[in-house]
Amino acid sequence: MIVARPSAERGKVNAGWLDSRHTFSFGHFHDPKWMGFGPLRVINEDRVAPRGGFPPHRHANMEILSYVLSGGLAHRDDTGSEGVLRPGEVQWMSAGHGIEHSEFNASDAEPVHFLQIWIQPDRLNAQPAYEQRAFDPEARRGRWATLVSPDGADGSLAIRQQAILRGTRLGAGEAIQVAFDPSRRYWLHVAQGEVALEDHGLQAGDALGFVDEGGTHVLTGRGTGIADVLLFDLPA
C-alpha cells in the first residue's frame, strides 16, 4: 500500500516569527488520520525569522532530529550541549527521561529553514544525549547515504530506535533505486526540489508512505535545481 501526503494538505501555522508546515498532527493542528507513521511522529518544516526561535522548553522520551536546509540554527540544552547547525549537518537530541532545550535562528539578518523530526524511541527514560554531525552533500549526489541508524553504521548518528534515515541529492535526469523490504515500512519525504518515483511526481514538502511494499523502485530527479530527498526506513 502506498499513501500520499501532498505538501499542500499539511497543517499550517503562522506566528509571525514562525511559518510552519506539519506533516503529522502537532500542537494546535490535529488530524486523526495523520497521527504519525509507525514510530515517525513529527516532520515539521519550519521557517524562523531572524532573532526568532523556540525558548527553553522540556521534552521526554523522544528522539528529535533537526535538518537545516538554509541558514543556521542555534541549539542549547541543560546538559551543557550547544552549537549552531548548518546545511549538510544533522542534529540528534535524545530527550530521554527529560531535557530542556532552546532552538533559535543563529542570524539577526537571515531566516533559517529546517526540518524538525521526532521519532519515538524503543526504550524509555534513558539518559538524555546530544550530537550533531556534518555529512558532505556531494557524497549523497546520486547515491543513498546513511544519516541516522540504530548502531551508527557508516558514520551515521546512532539513535534509540530500530530506524534508519538515508538521504540523497538528485539533479534533473539523475536516477537512483529504492529497495523496499515488505517487513518494514518506509516514508519518502522531499525536503527540496522535485523528483518522480515512477508515476508519482513529487515536489518539496510532498511525501509517500509505503506499507507491505516490496521490490525496487526508481527515483528520478526533475526540474532545474538539486532535489534533497529523505527516506525513513522504519519498523512495521
Side-chain angles (χ1 to χ4, degrees):
M1 178 178 68
I2 301 177
V3 295
R5 185 59 163 149
S7 173
E9 296 179 8
R10 295 179 295 174
K12 299 178 182 179
V13 172
N14 194 319
W17 62 270
L18 171 66
D19 183 12
S20 186
R21 299 293 181 269
H22 301 338
T23 295
F24 305 112
S25 294
F26 185 88
H28 295 297
F29 168 66
H30 179 77
D31 185 337
K33 300 189 301 294
W34 294 104
M35 296 303 295
F37 188 77
L40 179 59
R41 181 61 188 83
V42 169
I43 302 179
N44 291 350
E45 181 180 0
D46 292 339
R47 290 176 171 86
V48 177
R51 301 182 182 178
F54 304 90
H57 58 285
R58 294 192 68 80
H59 294 296
N61 293 316
M62 195 65 69
E63 303 293 281
I64 300 175
L65 305 171
S66 296
Y67 185 82
V68 171
L69 300 171
S70 64
L73 184 68
H75 168 90
R76 180 173 292 176
D77 64 50
D78 62 2
T79 71
S81 298
E82 60 180 287
V84 175
L85 192 71
R86 303 286 183 187
E89 297 180 301
V90 180
Q91 172 187 287
W92 165 65
M93 185 181 72
S94 184
H97 58 64
I99 192 170
E100 182 177 273
H101 75 114
S102 64
E103 309 292 333
F104 277 88
N105 189 337
S107 171
D108 60 4
E110 301 292 334
V112 59
H113 180 198
F114 70 102
L115 300 180
Q116 178 186 170
I117 299 161
W118 292 13
I119 298 174
Q120 294 171 324
D122 60 10
R123 69 209 76 172
L124 297 179
N125 300 323
Q127 187 72 19
Y130 172 88
E131 189 173 356
Q132 70 180 63
R133 186 167 300 169
F135 296 89
D136 181 4
E138 285 305 310
R140 281 180 268 155
R141 185 71 181 264
R143 62 180 292 272
W144 291 109
T146 304
L147 308 177
V148 167
S149 70
D151 56 4
D154 301 321
S156 61
L157 289 166
I159 67 168
R160 295 161 173 168
Q161 178 54 270
Q162 301 306 303
I164 300 168
L165 172 58
R166 299 183 176 94
T168 190
R169 292 169 60 84
L170 297 172
E174 295 178 341
I176 189 172
Q177 291 189 337
V178 189
F180 294 134
D181 176 348
S183 69
R184 305 275 290 177
R185 61 173 60 199
Y186 300 85
W187 187 264
L188 183 79
H189 181 91
V190 182
Q192 290 179 309
E194 184 179 352
V195 296
L197 187 77
E198 289 152 1
D199 294 336
H200 299 275
L202 303 168
Q203 297 182 347
D206 290 340
L208 295 174
F210 303 84
V211 180
D212 298 326
E213 287 285 326
T216 301
H217 299 257
V218 177
L219 183 71
T220 306
R222 285 182 171 180
T224 58
I226 303 298
D228 189 344
V229 182
L230 300 176
L231 178 66
F232 297 84
D233 177 345
L234 304 160

